[in-house]
Structures are given as structure tokens and as C-alpha cells.
Amino acid sequence: MALLEVKNLQVRVEEREILHGLTLSVNAGEVHAIMGPNGSGKSTLSHVIAGKPGYEVTGGEILFKGEDLLEMAPDMRAAKGVFLAFQYPVEIPGVATMTFLRTALNAQRKARGEGEFSTPDFLKKVREVAASLGIPQEMLRRGVNVGFSGGEKKRNEVLQMALFQPSLCILDEMDSGLDIDALRVAADGVNKLRSPDRAMVVITHYQRLLDYIVPDVVHVMSKGRVVKSGGKELALELEATGYAQYADAAA
Amino acid sequence: MNVAATQIDPAPVASAFDAVRARLPGTESVTERRQASFDAYASKGLPNRRIEDWKYTDLRVLMREVLPLAAAPDQAALQRAGTALAHLATRDTTKLVLVDGVFAPSLSDLAGHEAAVEIRSLAEVLRDDGNGNRADLLNINASADAMISLNAAMATDGVLITVADGASVGRPIHIVHVATQSKAATYSRSFLKLGSAARATFVESFVAAEGAAAYQANDAVVIWLGDGAELQHVRLMEDALDAINISTAVFTVGAKAKLNTFNLTSGGGVSRYQGFVSIGGEGAHVATNGVNLLKGTQHGDTTLVLNHLVPHCTSREVFRAVLDGRGHSVFQGRINVHQAAQKTDAKMMTRALLLSDEAEADNKPELEIFADDVTCGHGSTTGALDESLLFYLRARGLSEKDAQSLLIQAFIGEAIESIADDGLRDLAIAAGERWLEARS
């Protein structure tokens, strides 16, 4: 059984259909890249998997570990192991990063019927992971993402991923707004989390990110569907030819 | 509403005053002052929306009538108040307990307080034969408000606290108002005088004993800060949800003094907290912060009048309201900068967070400036919780309610964080958490 099964998914935003029957299957241990031009529906897919309000699913289904994901509230999806690394992580003034991390981790553990982490264990774990990602302690005391640079915000997403240990990570345009150095640090953090129990879906417009996070499978999306799937060489091919041919194919 | 207003007949109230005047402490000039105050009240009646200061809190509609004076607490009432006190999770404070507006020495910490602090009950002072001239205690000149007049007429008790010049009082002085009765009115008036260069923290709590309902509390507190004095004041109003609480605080701030006052209203069905601050000495700094947390059909009014009378003073006002259900918050903030008060630096910011479509926030910030060399500003916003922040938190595993709670705590945090003392700040945070817990 695949970890994530998206079957013939149709999604509307207000009156406009964005996904027109998208099918995707991701197994544990695999890294899938989803590429495509702007407006092809990549981010919509990531939002619908995470449960963002404002999208209407008019057809199809999403199964996660065999369960109907669309029936679950966003927090339940998180507790079950779905993690969306946001393209634009929000700033939350007044909520210290450390408080946020502890509240979120304990909420997930509670939902799974597990005990809360003890504070010393938690602090030790956070400090360890933060150090490996080059996140200074001082940042953890600040409001969530408040005053963080683009690179710091993305590293904060990876930090959460490492803490929560989700079984499905969706990285939505992780490379947007990052220079090469910042991208390398974030990608290294992601690569450390690759594991046979975990799948990753890397959504990106550019091939560049895939030099650092090398995918097992590459999908090309156009106009709300997956129009081609292949190995990692497909990404290189796209880099050479562009998306124009797929726009025609889907039309 | 007009009909309701015209149906109010002052006669029953007047006879109620006649019935209880013998019980009210004080003789001669005090009695005369009470009568004059009562007459002042009776000539005006309950404040209503035609009076500009009470525009959003029409007591003829919201309160309708003044209930009979609560009986002096008996042994059973004191016992119930004691139980309520045990539930009051406060840290080490010098507690001065008023039960239904009457000072209860048996429930208060009178033995342990520091030598530099003198504590007497208002009833004792007013009854004392040598104090026939203490009618001044019933004067509040900050406002010609009918509810203050009513308080002067009816005040049964309270505490007078004096902190000696230069004294630094470590333990917070804590007045706890406990209501035990139902359908009765209580009137209390307390005083805090900080000598020059004295430092103290002062807490006021309003709570209900189990079973107390639909009571009316009318409290006044008069506070002086001598030159160079520093006061941290925290008021937490957690009265019963069907109670009415009308409270007045009057502050007079001396030169180079520092006043930091914080109010949190989360209780009471109808409430008004009106503060009048006069800055009368140069180089003083005043921070007035407040939070209204209201749900159901609660109506909470916070009205602050700040008078800058002299040059070179600063003031900061931060107010937050969080409204659920049909909660209605009123914030009226007025800063008067008098002609002499050059170089005044005054800022006021008020923000309201609406959690439901039926909640209402009325914000009325006002600046009146007669000096020409000042820095003054105010701002006001009203809005809902940010959906993108809520989704981010939910995507990280927080339930809808927990995500809201975290954002609400952050929203009121800016006002609460102004409390310098860690222990008192925790008290305010805990009061906020109790409100969040009770939200259904």
C-alpha cells in the first residue's frame, strides 16, 4: 500500500476548477518531485493535502496510510504524520518560537495518545537540531518567524520537520527566495531526514533544488493534472526544453 | 428603551437609603456628606446614553435599578468567602479581604505585613470619634459622576493603606473583594497613599463565592503617589457573569513618580472600570494598560481619563479587547494635555479582536491638547483572527481552539507584558487562561 494515494482529485477555488483529476501515488522511503509552470496547481495540491480552508474538493480522494485524509481536520492530519513546509511561513508576533514548538509537538503527541515530552528532553532535542541547522538559540526566543530572513524561515520549517518526525513531508517551493548557501543548508537538513519510513514530495518550479534534494521520481504537472512521470533525469530534460511542450500536451 | 428610562422612580432608592443610613459608618460631617452625595445621585439617577461619558454604557437599560444594600456578612458568609479565597491561586501577598463590601479581619493577613505599611479599615476611621472631620474621604473630585456619588453615600467599608516615605514594600498588598450574596448591592471605598520615594505593588481582585449571583458591586479606590514613588497596580475583575461591577480608580501622581497600572476585566455581566489619572509633578511616567475578555452577553466598559497637568511627563496606554459570542467591549481613552504641560509625550493604542460576528467593540480614543510642544498619538484597530496564522498553527497539530487560544494570548500579551513584576504578570496570564478555558 502506498503511503499517499491521490486518486482523480478535482478541486475548485470559488467557481474555478484548479485540479481536474489528479492522480499520484507515493511510497514510503521515496522522494517525489512535482514540477510545473506557475498556475499548474502544484501549491493547490499541497494545500489540499494539508487541509487548508478555501478549497472545495468536488471529486476523487486522498488516502494517507489507507485512511481518508479529506475527512480529517488539519491538526489531525499533522498528528497522523502529514507535514507541509510552507512556501511563505507566517510570522506570529507574541508567540515565542520555543513555546510554539513545544505546544505543537505536545498537541500532536496528545492526539496520538502519547505522553507529553518532558521539558529538559524537549529543550535538548530542539537545541541539537537547531545547532545542526545553524539556527541560533536567540532566534528560538523570538516570536515565530518574526524578523527572520527568508533563509531562516525555511530553516525553521526544516527544524519543525526534524522535531515532529512526520511520515510525509511536502516541501512547497522551498527554494523560493533563497540564495545558494541558504538553499544548501535547508536541503542538507531535509536530506538528513530521508528515511525508509518517510516520503517526501518536493514541489518546485526550478530544477536547481533537485541538485540538492535528489528525487526518485519526477512528475510534471500542467493545468491541474500530472502529465508526465519519470526518473530524476526528467528534471534535467525539463531544464533543457522548458514547460511549453507540456502546456500543449495538456491543452 | 425610553420607556424603561422614564419608569425609573427614585423614591424606592431614597427610602432604601433612609432604611440603611443608620448602618453606614460615620457621624456628623460624614453623615452630612453621605446625604449630600445621595442627593447628588438622586437628582441625576443612573447614568444613561444621553450623558456623553456613558454613551455606550446606559445603566438605565443595563442595570435598570439599584438593589438593596447587602447585609453585613454573617459567619456563614465569611466561611463561604474563605472557601472562595482558597480557590484564589495567588502567590504570597498581604491579603486584605472585603466580604460584600465589609472588611473581614479574620480572613485578612494583618499580622505579617511590613512595619512601613499602615492599614486601617474605612469603617473604623469613619466611626472613630476623633475623625468626625473625615468626610473628605467621601470626596472624589475627579468626576461629577452619579455612580461615584452613590458610592460616597453608601460606602460601608474599605481599607486605608499608607506606605511610609522611602519604604520599599516587597510583598504585594492585595485587596480581595469577595461577593457572597445575591440580588444585593455592595459599596466599598479604599485608599492607598505612597509616601515620597516609596515603592509598592498593589493588587485588587474581584471574585464571587459559590452561589453568589446577580449582585451589584460599586467600588472606588483613591491612590496617591508621592514624589519619586513607584507603584505597580494590577486589577483583576472576575466577578460572577450575571453581576454588575461599577468601579472607579483615581490616581494622583507626583513628580518623578512611576505609575504602572493594569486592569483585566473577564467577569461581570455588566461592568465599567473608570480610571482618572492626574499627573501633577514633572518627570513622572504613567503606563495604563488594560484587557477586556468578554463572551456571552457580557458588557465591559473601560474608560480612562489621563490628565497631563505639568511639563515633561510621559504616558503610555495599551488596551486590548477580545470578544466572543455577543460580548460588547467599550474603550474610552481620553488624554488631556493642559496648556502648561509642554514636552508631554503621550501615546495610546487600542485594538479589539472579534471572535464572532455578533460581538461588538466600541473604541473612543480622544486627545485634547492645549500645549503646543508635545508628542502625542493614538491608534485604534478592530479585526478578526488572521486565517493564515490559524491554518499554520493547525497544520502543526493545534486544534482550532488551541490555535485560537495561542493567538489570543499573543494578542493580549502586549498589554500583559507591561506588568513588570513576574508574579503579578503570571496572575494576569492565569486570569486570561481561565477565560480561555471557559470559552466553549
Side-chain angles (χ1 to χ4, degrees), chain A residues 77-98:
Chain A
R77 300 183 198 197
K80 293 268 182 190
V82 175
F83 183 93
L84 169 66
F86 283 57
Q87 181 178 4
Y88 301 111
V90 296
E91 296 187 9
I92 315 180
V95 178
T97 305
M98 204 54 128

Side-chain angles (χ1 to χ4, degrees), chain B residues 287-305:
Chain B
T288 59
N289 301 290
V291 174
N292 279 1
L293 301 174
L294 306 170
K295 59 189 165 67
T297 57
Q298 281 181 287
H299 175 108
D301 175 338
T302 299
T303 294
L304 295 169
V305 180

